[in-house]
Amino acid sequence: MVTAVIPKPGQDRQFYVFSGIKYATIELGRNFDDKLIAGPSFVREKWSTFKEANWGSADAVVQVPGRNSFYVFVGGHYFRATINSDNLKDSMLYNGVKTIESEWKPLVDVGFDTVDAGIPDPSNDDILFFFRGTKSLKYSYKEGKVVAGPKPISSYWPAIGEAGFDSIDAIFKTPNDDSYHVFKGDQYARISWNGGWDTLEVNRKIIRENWPSLSWI
């Protein structure tokens, strides 16, 4: 299963893909063709932030809206980190690991004491969508509060429901227009989303049969 995907700094078509205790760097072409660039490698051997946190994997890795940093979630904890675009070294921000409840209490108050996945709204850099189990919600980054939800994922994301997913492991924006890939277990689907209603572009398929770069998953 794919647990998280984030863009590689300075490379519009390259991404870090996490699966359990390993990750790899892949590249996506204009026709959604993929290839393996590096890895797979053990996360803790390459990411100093994971080693510092004493974590070997992540439940979710979520881009911070409009910033060159990201959140890593494991169980009821998280940390914020950044990647230096020159040397590609990662480093902790804001005093390392914290509990979700200490900094994201509005999430915990509505039952999101853990996070499965998250994605910034492309039409509003104040909004993050979070996923947990079969629910999704909208969170205002600047106001620090839940502004809508939680609701069943298919309520906000009908195309994800159309693909047959009632929960997800990861979601990321591709470099091709408004297309996003969504992962669940050993399957994936592709949707189109610009901040409004999503539409299904590619129905669910088996990851290993369609992603040469992810044959190791």
Side-chain angles (χ1 to χ4, degrees), residues 10 13-14 18 24 28 32 49 57 67 69 74 81 83 97-98 104 116 132 151 160 162 172 192 195 207 216:
R13 294 193 166 273
Q14 293 187 11
F18 295 81
L28 279 181
F32 299 100
T49 50
S57 61
R67 291 170 172 81
S69 59
V74 172
I83 301 174
V97 176
K98 300 178 182 180
W104 304 77
D116 294 337
R132 182 186 186 277
K151 293 182 179 180
I160 293 179
E162 186 180 348
F172 80 99
S192 178
I207 296 170
W216 54 278

Side-chain angles (χ1 to χ4, degrees), residues 7-57:
K8 180 179 179 179
Q11 298 287 338
D12 292 342
R13 294 193 166 273
Q14 293 187 11
F15 299 85
Y16 298 121
V17 179
F18 295 81
S19 178
I21 61 174
K22 294 184 177 182
Y23 87 101
T25 305
I26 71 166
E27 184 172 285
L28 279 181
R30 298 188 183 278
N31 295 317
F32 299 100
D33 49 307
D34 63 298
K35 65 179 179 179
L36 184 65
I37 301 299
S41 302
F42 289 104
V43 174
R44 283 191 60 171
E45 290 182 357
K46 300 292 186 178
W47 293 74
S48 63
T49 50
F50 281 79
K51 187 173 183 178
E52 183 178 342
N54 199 29
W55 294 350
S57 61

Side-chain angles (χ1 to χ4, degrees), residues 121-135:
D121 185 333
S123 65
N124 186 343
D125 64 8
D126 177 40
I127 297 297
L128 280 165
F129 278 86
F130 285 108
F131 299 80
R132 182 186 186 277
T134 61
K135 301 291 181 67

Side-chain angles (χ1 to χ4, degrees), residues 77-96:
H77 294 77
Y78 85 99
F79 65 76
R80 183 170 171 180
T82 187
I83 301 174
N84 185 299
S85 57
D86 294 324
N87 60 22
L88 298 179
K89 299 293 185 181
D90 59 312
S91 58
M92 287 275 196
L93 296 174
Y94 305 114
N95 302 315

